[in-house]
Amino acid sequence: MTLRVAIPDTSLTDCTDLRQKTEKVGSLARALAVFRVETVYIYDTGKLSNEMKRDVSLLSKILRYMDTPQYLRKQSFPKSQSLKFAGLLPPLRTRSHPLETKINELQEGSVRWGLQARPGQIDLGFDKLVNYPKTVSERDPTLFRVKKIKPQIVLEIIEREDVSDYWGFRVERVYNLAKFLEESDDSTRIGFSRKAPFFNQIEKDLKSTIAGTQSVLAVFGGPSHGILEFFENEREIVKSHIDFWANTIPDQGTETVRLEEALFVSLGLLNSSVGTIITKPGFHM
């Protein structure tokens, strides 16, 4: 069961400065985490000027920064101008961002991100480092599970897929959306558009299809272009690889709907309709 989301590389083009861009990415990340998205893809549109292409790296960096637990951010992300307004970002408070800091609070079976702090020792965000015989990255977090706590702590490396609860999101780039959609035919591919049928009109067929795939790839347009408007030369190809088109905000009261607003509304409807089929458990089930 998986829920994946694809957003365009133009996602920040409606922002005028670094502060606005940072705050927008914070809202996007909150939507992704609230509705338990496992992977967010940033797809290439070919619509960005050379100057604006820097925003793609910024979008990816801040999303990855937010998914990283607070206790590892300084090591994973050295101080830089692009993170000048990181203090404005809201905490995600996913299970992958634990608050415990005392080593005596560690329990068998606990899962935590960690980094190599020094030879033979891992930083898991506690007041003491934990011994581990192998070498892992000092910059990119590794996921650990606690196998034993007595007579000494024993760790094992695992993958996100091995965790039964929701454990945050990956960030990846997609350079050819048409090809990516074609290769994602094992998922139910949904394109969101104000020109599409209302969500309640397709919900019955959508639920039936998702019950079979147990996987959704939700594709969104950007601030000034819908999905198909990005790909004038590949319009029919892209269109043919979308299983359902949905309008989740019929009769919208504003001329435009921002990407972060579309994410909250659309993913919220999916969560209410098929969330238990496509996502791992979160809080307050």
Side-chain angles (χ1 to χ4, degrees), residues 130-189:
V130 177
N131 293 332
Y132 184 70
K134 299 179 182 179
T135 300
V136 298
S137 175
E138 297 177 359
R139 181 69 58 84
D140 298 320
T142 298
L143 194 57
F144 293 93
R145 176 185 284 134
V146 179
K147 292 181 67 175
K148 292 195 308 182
I149 57 174
K150 293 181 179 181
Q152 61 184 16
I153 297 172
V154 177
L155 303 176
E156 63 175 344
I157 294 177
I158 61 172
E159 302 294 332
R160 279 191 214 246
E161 292 80 7
D162 299 322
V163 186
S164 58
D165 295 319
Y166 176 66
W167 216 256
F169 52 80
R170 291 187 178 87
V171 183
E172 299 185 15
R173 288 291 308 276
V174 167
Y175 296 97
N176 187 320
L177 182 63
K179 182 178 180 182
F180 176 66
L181 289 171
E182 182 180 6
E183 294 172 347
S184 300
D185 58 356
D186 57 341
S187 295
T188 301
R189 300 157 295 187

Side-chain angles (χ1 to χ4, degrees), residues 139-270:
R139 181 69 58 84
D140 298 320
T142 298
L143 194 57
F144 293 93
R145 176 185 284 134
V146 179
K147 292 181 67 175
K148 292 195 308 182
I149 57 174
K150 293 181 179 181
Q152 61 184 16
I153 297 172
V154 177
L155 303 176
E156 63 175 344
I157 294 177
I158 61 172
E159 302 294 332
R160 279 191 214 246
E161 292 80 7
D162 299 322
V163 186
S164 58
D165 295 319
Y166 176 66
W167 216 256
F169 52 80
R170 291 187 178 87
V171 183
E172 299 185 15
R173 288 291 308 276
V174 167
Y175 296 97
N176 187 320
L177 182 63
K179 182 178 180 182
F180 176 66
L181 289 171
E182 182 180 6
E183 294 172 347
S184 300
D185 58 356
D186 57 341
S187 295
T188 301
R189 300 157 295 187
I190 308 171
F192 293 96
S193 169
R194 61 182 173 84
K195 300 177 182 179
F198 297 161
F199 182 82
N200 64 342
Q201 294 175 327
I202 66 164
E203 185 176 10
K204 182 177 179 181
D205 290 339
L206 183 65
K207 291 174 72 172
S208 176
T209 302
I210 293 174
T213 62
Q214 296 191 3
S215 176
V216 164
L217 173 60
V219 187
F220 292 84
S224 57
H225 295 80
I227 300 166
L228 297 180
E229 293 170 349
F230 285 127
F231 305 102
E232 297 167 359
N233 297 329
E234 295 182 292
R235 180 184 179 92
E236 294 306 315
I237 298 175
V238 171
K239 189 175 180 179
S240 69
H241 293 307
I242 297 287
D243 302 303
F244 291 92
W245 291 91
N247 178 356
T248 54
I249 312 177
D251 198 24
Q252 63 194 53
T254 55
E255 183 177 1
T256 59
V257 173
R258 296 176 178 179
L259 176 58
E260 58 270 37
E261 296 166 343
L263 280 179
F264 271 108
V265 173
S266 303
L267 297 180
L269 284 172
L270 282 176

Side-chain angles (χ1 to χ4, degrees), residues 31-49:
L32 297 170
V34 165
F35 297 112
R36 308 185 301 287
V37 172
E38 294 199 20
T39 307
V40 55
Y41 301 97
I42 304 170
Y43 65 85
D44 186 71
T45 64
K47 300 292 185 182
L48 287 179
S49 64

Side-chain angles (χ1 to χ4, degrees), residues 51 55 111 229 273:
E51 183 180 354
D55 283 351
V111 176
E229 293 170 349
S273 182

